[in-house]
């Protein structure tokens, strides 16, 4: 049975006063509130691309990368130079592995895992300055950055859905 075409959306909001866009059911914040929110978000988060750029620049990046995944996950691959500190072991091992004066960038598997968030909370409660790396190890690999495995350093081709197909910078 053929489907009838939906009516074309009206270009003017007056045409349907009861219809409200799902995006605008809750009005956007005032610019000053939005700026405060996004500034705060950047104080808590970074991304794989920025971490990789800082590490590739050479010298001291000013932070340490902490991989909060299990030993089995670490063995599958990890960021070169990262410190392995599984989330569950943060309270007992952080002091021996980390310097409180150096900010920490923590990551776990990826966006579907909150292990890094839990590790970041535990580190913050112990007095560390910490950011969570958005995308985790998944996006590190998907963006084509080198990672270490038992076989040595590996670098996959960047996924064009997460990183530019040509060049190194996404422009954001």
């Amino acid at each position: 049975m053929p489907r009838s075409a939906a009516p074309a959306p009206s270009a003017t909001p007056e045409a349907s006063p009861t219809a409200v866009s799902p995006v605008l059911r809750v009005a956007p914040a005032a610019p000053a509130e939005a700026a405060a929110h996004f500034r705060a978000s950047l104080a808590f988060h970074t991304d794989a691309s920025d971490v990789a750029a800082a590490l590739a620049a050479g010298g001291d990046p000013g932070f340490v990368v902490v991989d909060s995944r299990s030993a089995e996950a670490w063995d599958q691959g990890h960021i070169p130079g990262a410190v392995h500190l599984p989330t569950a072991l943060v309270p007992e091992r952080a002091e021996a592995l980390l310097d409180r004066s150096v900010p920490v960038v923590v990551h776990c598997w990826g966006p579907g895992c909150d292990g890094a968030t839990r590790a970041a909370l535990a580190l913050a409660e112990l007095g560390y300055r910490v950011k969570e790396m958005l995308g985790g190890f998944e996006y590190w690999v998907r963006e084509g950055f080198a990672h270490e495995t038992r076989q040595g350093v590996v670098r996959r081709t960047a996924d064009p859905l997460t990183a530019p197909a040509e060049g190194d910078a996404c422009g954001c």
Side-chain angles (χ1 to χ4, degrees), residues 17 27 34 36 56 60-61 77 87 91 94 126 132 136 148 159 165:
D60 180 4
T87 300
L126 292 171
E132 181 179 1
E148 291 180 308
D159 179 340

Side-chain angles (χ1 to χ4, degrees), residues 134-170:
L134 298 174
F137 186 67
E138 175 189 348
Y139 275 71
W140 182 271
V141 173
R142 288 182 72 188
E143 291 186 27
F145 302 122
H147 57 284
E148 291 180 308
T149 69
R150 288 183 181 155
Q151 291 75 37
V153 176
V154 177
R155 187 175 191 141
R156 296 183 181 180
T157 303
D159 179 340
L161 295 177
T162 64
E166 301 291 327
D168 294 331
C170 69

Side-chain angles (χ1 to χ4, degrees), residues 67-79 84 86 107-109 113 137 147-150:
D67 186 325
S68 66
R69 299 173 302 144
S70 69
E72 295 81 13
W74 170 268
D75 288 343
Q76 279 183 242
H78 53 272
I79 296 172
H84 185 224
H107 73 84
C108 199
W109 271 114
C113 176
F137 186 67
H147 57 284
E148 291 180 308
T149 69
R150 288 183 181 155

Side-chain angles (χ1 to χ4, degrees), residues 46 50-55 60-65 102-105:
T46 188
D50 287 345
V51 171
L55 295 175
D60 180 4
F63 60 88
V64 62
V65 176
V102 178
V104 174
V105 173

Side-chain angles (χ1 to χ4, degrees), residues 70-99:
S70 69
E72 295 81 13
W74 170 268
D75 288 343
Q76 279 183 242
H78 53 272
I79 296 172
V83 172
H84 185 224
L85 179 56
T87 300
L89 301 177
V90 168
E92 67 188 67
R93 293 193 183 163
E95 192 170 332
L97 296 173
L98 304 171
D99 178 344

Side-chain angles (χ1 to χ4, degrees), residues 10 12-20:
S10 171
T12 59
E14 298 83 29
S16 180
T18 59
V20 176

